[in-house]
Amino acid sequence: MQTPWIRFSAEVVFEERQDIRDAIIEKSVIVNALYKTMRDNPIFKVFYLKDIEGWMTNLGHVKGLKQRDEFAKPIHFKF
């Protein structure tokens, strides 16, 4: 049985530019349906993640569980 999971941390950067909000409203059917008549609604926030770092692993490496060869080794990533 595979039980993969991911844990990461990042800095969240909020983007206040209206041109970006308008582009998202135009490109996304779901967002368009929700905000096309409320383009300046303060509840609609645009953000991106910066300095992402984390691990992809599975429960084969959790303390207390028997180590098994078929479990993948943890993979560290950083963007």
Side-chain angles (χ1 to χ4, degrees), residues 10 14 17 21 25 42 53 59:
F14 287 93
R17 290 178 35 201
R21 292 164 49 110
I25 290 169
E53 183 171 6
L59 293 179

Side-chain angles (χ1 to χ4, degrees), residues 30-41:
I30 294 171
V31 177
N32 187 284
L34 293 170
Y35 295 104
K36 68 181 172 187
T37 62
M38 302 182 296
R39 290 178 181 268
D40 58 352
N41 188 324

